[in-house]
Amino acid sequence: MKNIRLVYRPAAPLLKCAVLVSILLSGVAMGVIAMRCNSIKANTQSLRNQAVALEGENSRLTQNIQQLGTPESIRQLAGELLGLVDPDSVFFNPVEPTDPS
């Protein structure tokens, strides 16, 4: 059996620099990725809050749509938009007093 002899040789300076630059660039890339991830998380939370608000608005609008055909809703819209009143109602139109001077 042959004897194997291992000899330690220091790495070339250029190789050491290349490894160091690779490690530094990897660290910078990880920092950029972490910042982007935090930005996406914040954006996602903002969009979730907006979705909740829109669901509430949608629910309110759906309820309004369901009430549109009711007689009470028709009376209310006629009064607010057209100034109409029920035929059985008495309408008082207040007149401001005039100054006699």
Side-chain angles (χ1 to χ4, degrees):
M1 180 172 228
K2 271 184 162 182
N3 286 341
I4 298 175
R5 191 175 84 139
L6 296 175
V7 177
Y8 172 74
R9 289 186 317 181
L14 186 60
L15 179 61
K16 288 180 182 178
C17 288
V19 169
L20 181 61
V21 167
S22 296
I23 291 172
L24 289 175
L25 289 177
S26 296
V28 170
M30 288 176 61
V32 169
I33 289 170
M35 288 181 356
R36 182 69 177 137
C37 183
N38 289 338
S39 171
I40 290 171
K41 284 180 183 178
N43 190 26
T44 300
Q45 186 60 40
S46 172
L47 290 173
R48 283 185 180 146
N49 293 341
Q50 186 178 1
V52 167
L54 289 174
E55 285 174 0
E57 178 72 9
N58 191 23
S59 174
R60 186 185 66 77
L61 290 173
T62 301
Q63 185 179 11
N64 284 350
I65 289 170
Q66 291 172 351
Q67 292 176 353
L68 275 178
T70 64
E72 182 58 37
S73 172
I74 293 171
R75 279 190 200 98
Q76 181 181 0
L77 288 174
E80 289 175 2
L81 299 177
L82 303 174
L84 301 177
V85 293
D86 256 347
D88 299 333
S89 299
V90 177
F91 180 71
F92 291 96
N93 189 7
V95 177
E96 292 189 26
T98 57
D99 190 17
S101 47

